Amino acid sequence: MFSIGDFAQYGRVSARMLRHYDAIGLLRPARTDPVSGYRFYEAAQLARLNRIIALKDLGFSLQQVGAILAEEVSVPELRGMLRLRQAELEAALTAEGARLARVEARLRTIESEGRMSADDVVVKRTGTVLLAELSGIAASYGPEDIGPVITPLYAELCRLLEAAGVAPAGPGLAYYENVPEPGEGSERPAGGSEGKDAVVVHAGMVITEEALTKAGAKTAATAGATVGGTSGGTSGGTSDGTSGRPGAPAATGLGFDVVTLPGLDSAATVVHRGPMSRILPTSQNLAHWIDANGYRSAGYARELYLECPPDLEKWVTEIQEPVVRA
């Protein structure tokens, strides 16, 4: 038998903890000296101690631990509890990491207020592009909601393009729209929230008509769809100087849609460096510039991904915000 000190050492716990477990009836000593009151434990009791500590670390209260042990929980059941708790902790860590990133972004925004030079912003016209795209719905236009939607969309789009043999002809381009109201005749993209702040996320890659036609020739026999057509969107803008919406996307039978995205007649553009999770300082500085230079925003900004290496810190993205004179 072991003294309480030795047993505590083998169990990697404190003697004080063992005394508490004894007091609440969770782990009684094998023998207690009636004269001295010294507690003694057997090696076999280490198994119960291990279960107590494991369940406690899983987040159960000591009262719950006692109830679970009374049911003689098996090793496979403990393993299942561990995996469940592991998933919960990983999700919590991810959520806390995202929260810290948002706080950091706000801090950078505060630190950079008023620092953007007029030379950083260029007002220009953008060209019409042919896009292969996938769409989804984000709960809001905030980076914390856009990121979890747009990242898997691009991953899936790249996979589909590679499978179809369609090589991108330019960088990725993302654009956003309000979720269509019921009765507008537009089909809502699958997935995501559809609350009042929700936006449609379009994750696109610039392609060519030639590449699409070539891919269609390879797959027409099995896809059963006409490949190579576009949505028929028009270039140029509306009467107020903003660009028109793209037409309804054309289905390709390849798993992605194709849309002709009209250019912007007037876009205030700025280059953002680093991950899109830290876009807030750049976008708010752009907003200050737009307001200070006699413009107003005419819609959601587009994002042209100029450089997207594995290291997110080296990303280079051009933000293109449609503007008109105020």
Side-chain angles (χ1 to χ4, degrees):
M1 301 189 83
F2 302 102
S3 68
I4 189 172
D6 290 339
F7 189 76
Q9 181 177 340
Y10 285 119
R12 298 295 192 272
V13 296
S14 67
R16 179 183 59 80
M17 184 178 293
L18 291 176
R19 293 189 186 96
H20 179 60
Y21 290 167
D22 179 17
I24 63 176
L26 195 56
L27 180 60
R28 299 288 193 187
R31 185 175 71 85
T32 302
D33 188 284
V35 178
S36 64
Y38 290 166
R39 298 170 174 85
F40 295 92
Y41 296 82
E42 295 176 345
Q45 291 181 283
L46 287 170
R48 184 176 177 87
L49 177 61
N50 289 335
R51 282 164 170 74
I52 292 171
I53 301 303
L55 290 168
K56 183 170 171 285
D57 286 344
L58 284 173
F60 292 104
S61 68
L62 291 180
Q63 184 177 4
Q64 291 171 321
V65 169
I68 293 171
L69 291 179
E71 297 177 3
E72 298 184 352
V73 61
S74 67
V75 172
E77 288 172 328
L78 273 175
R79 173 62 64 182
M81 292 177 183
L82 173 61
R83 286 175 178 163
L84 178 61
R85 182 57 176 162
Q86 183 179 22
E88 292 173 347
L89 290 174
E90 287 174 351
L93 285 173
T94 299
E96 289 304 310
R99 181 180 298 178
L100 285 173
R102 293 197 296 271
V103 172
E104 175 67 17
R106 291 287 176 181
L107 180 59
R108 286 173 180 262
T109 302
I110 293 169
E111 291 173 340
S112 64
E113 286 174 353
R115 292 186 183 179
M116 179 176 283
S117 166
D119 296 334
D120 293 333
V121 179
V122 176
V123 177
K124 64 183 181 182
R125 181 172 183 154
T126 67
T128 298
V129 290
L130 183 66
L131 294 179
E133 71 168 45
L134 294 176
S135 302
I137 294 180
S140 78
Y141 189 54
E144 68 276 11
D145 290 324
I146 296 293
V149 174
I150 200 169
T151 299
L153 285 177
Y154 266 115
E156 177 65 6
L157 179 61
C158 290
R159 186 191 69 79
L160 291 171
L161 288 172
E162 183 178 3
V166 179
L173 193 156
Y175 65 101
Y176 306 89
E177 296 177 300
N178 290 324
V179 174
E181 292 294 330
E184 286 189 15
S186 298
E187 203 172 300
R188 297 189 177 195
S193 169
E194 297 189 8
K196 63 179 181 178
D197 296 324
V199 295
V200 182
V201 178
H202 298 274
M205 295 290 294
V206 177
I207 59 172
T208 64
E209 194 76 57
E210 293 75 17
L212 194 61
T213 301
K214 187 178 296 185
K218 293 178 182 178
T219 60
T222 56
T226 300
V227 181
T230 68
S231 66
T234 58
S235 61
T238 60
S239 59
D240 67 356
T242 63
S243 76
R245 278 186 171 183
T252 63
L254 299 172
F256 54 83
D257 295 326
V258 174
V259 63
T260 298
L261 185 66
L264 299 171
D265 281 351
S266 181
T269 66
V270 66
V271 173
H272 170 72
R273 300 181 185 278
M276 294 304 291
S277 60
R278 294 209 300 264
I279 189 65
L280 198 62
T282 304
S283 62
Q284 289 198 2
N285 280 332
L286 180 59
H288 284 296
W289 186 95
I290 290 171
D291 185 58
N293 287 271
Y295 291 93
R296 64 177 175 84
S297 176
Y300 292 110
R302 297 177 181 179
E303 297 159 3
L304 185 66
Y305 304 111
L306 301 175
E307 297 178 23
C308 300
D311 184 356
L312 296 180
E313 294 295 333
K314 296 181 180 179
W315 273 37
V316 180
T317 307
E318 183 179 79
I319 309 304
Q320 304 173 344
E321 182 147 356
V323 293
V324 294
R325 281 293 179 181

